[in-house]
Amino acid sequence: MEQLDPDRLSAAQLAAMRRSLTSGRGALTRRSLLRASGIGALTLGGLSALTSCGIPPARREDGAAAASADHSEQEKVLNFSNWTEYMDTSEDEKSRPTLEEFGKRTGVEVKYTEDINDNVEFFGKIRPQLAAGQDTGRDLIVVTDWLAARIIRLGWAQKLDPSRLPHAYANLSPQFRSPDWDPGRSYSYPWTGISTVIAYNSKATEGRKVDSVTQLLDDPSLKGRVGFLTEMRDSVGMTLLDQGKDPANFTTADFDGAIGRLQKGVDTKQIRRFTGNDYTADLDKGDLAACLAWAGDVIQLQAGNPDIKYAVPAAGYITSSDNLLVPAQARHKANAEKLIDYYYELPVAARLAAFISYVCPVDGVKDELAKIDPALAENTLIVPDKAMTAKSHAFRSLSSKEETAYEEKFTRLIGA
């Protein structure tokens, strides 16, 4: 018999996640566009695991997982689950240099598995064990901030020991230090940041720069050639910023105002369509003149097309993150903390950033990255400067009630 779970996902939330998996950030953004191949799709089983697993959640009021025995001293092993193409590899793709170096230095054997294709499917895999207070078989996982917040809220993440994280504590970029879902980073550290900016094809715009949401929605020369994203937090968040609202502190009236602004763009046919990662092909060809885009995609598109440009609106941009968590009942917490700290050492962080081309959350990495590739070190989509960091905004955490209501409104807007 299904147990009542006050944190279960609504139909609107599941619909939003399906969009993410089929064409959104979960579908491709962690894979280089130059190396990409197909990834797994969410199965009905994965979705059903989220809506009714038949096990009541092992919720704790303080949000902390019950202390579990750590076997790190006796068992020099670490089970690490990550997304595909989210770790540096050698040119022949037969080894992972930074992971091998960690093993040699610490004596810890890392069993690295690329078994996260999307947040929802992965949560469906591990949720039954977490809810039952069992070991998932994983000591370290990487999940996007909304899911990290959910896992922490349910009491299914272990609190980290700051004494084992000297580099992480010292080098974490101020931009990522205190998300509202994990103040002070007690349970998580970011693996990488994901920025939403404006991208445009300068050939399609006849050389005109596109640098604001207002321009996307009002410039008659762009009519019918504008794209927004099917990710609610990105499209609504960027619109809120353009309207002078703070995505980290907005009301339902503010949200409705942003939806209304976007609805006008739909009604006037200024907006061609709402897209996931499939905007990349249209932008590359010029069928979309300008759109909201994820920074990692922009870097890869620019490598093959000099007409692709980007702009950070004066009003600011949305940043989210993928985060390292130690699940409840993991057997090797200390080993996991060693690895988290290792990736916050500047030379190691630089090698990872050079490979995956996403926002590096490690402060002070620029000089080390310049030794690898000076152009990457100067790219503010990878290493934000002070001006860009100042424009970064996070979309606030939503209650289950808010998320259901907001996703329903957004789904109606985009016709999904």
Side-chain angles (χ1 to χ4, degrees), residues 5 18 58 71 81 112 123 144 176 181 196 225 234 246 273 294 297 305 308 317 319 350 362 366 371 374 388 390 416:
D5 182 353
R18 286 192 186 95
H71 301 269
S81 285
Y112 185 76
F123 191 43
T144 304
F176 296 100
W181 48 268
T196 304
R225 299 187 296 155
D234 294 308
D246 182 1
R273 64 191 183 103
W294 292 306
D297 292 343
N305 186 345
I308 302 301
Y317 66 101
T319 299
V362 182
K366 185 175 182 177
K371 296 175 185 178
M388 185 157 180

Side-chain angles (χ1 to χ4, degrees), residues 3-146:
Q3 301 292 324
L4 176 63
D5 182 353
D7 228 17
R8 59 184 285 195
L9 299 176
S10 68
Q13 290 170 301
L14 290 172
M17 290 168 189
R18 286 192 186 95
R19 293 196 302 270
S20 178
L21 304 182
T22 55
S23 62
R25 182 185 297 156
L28 186 61
T29 52
R30 291 165 184 80
R31 300 185 65 84
S32 162
L33 294 176
L34 304 181
R35 301 189 300 273
S37 60
I39 66 171
L42 180 65
T43 64
L44 289 176
L47 283 173
S48 64
L50 286 174
T51 55
S52 57
C53 69
I55 303 171
R59 183 190 300 271
R60 287 171 58 90
E61 292 303 318
D62 59 2
S68 58
D70 191 353
H71 301 269
S72 294
E73 189 63 34
Q74 299 81 22
E75 300 172 4
K76 298 296 184 181
V77 67
L78 173 63
N79 297 299
F80 183 8
S81 285
N82 204 347
W83 298 75
T84 53
E85 300 288 352
Y86 229 17
M87 179 64 72
D88 59 299
T89 60
S90 59
E91 288 189 11
D92 61 9
E93 298 187 352
K94 293 182 179 179
S95 65
R96 299 183 176 94
T98 57
L99 278 181
E100 290 189 358
E101 182 180 308
F102 173 78
K104 291 176 182 177
R105 184 195 299 186
T106 63
V108 174
E109 178 189 0
V110 180
K111 297 181 178 179
Y112 185 76
T113 308
E114 294 180 326
D115 62 344
I116 306 179
N117 288 324
D118 59 76
N119 288 288
V120 179
E121 181 185 44
F122 183 66
F123 191 43
K125 290 179 183 178
I126 64 175
R127 187 177 192 256
Q129 293 104 312
L130 290 171
Q134 300 171 351
D135 179 14
T136 66
R138 299 166 175 85
D139 303 303
L140 194 61
I141 61 176
V142 179
V143 293
T144 304
D145 44 16
W146 69 264

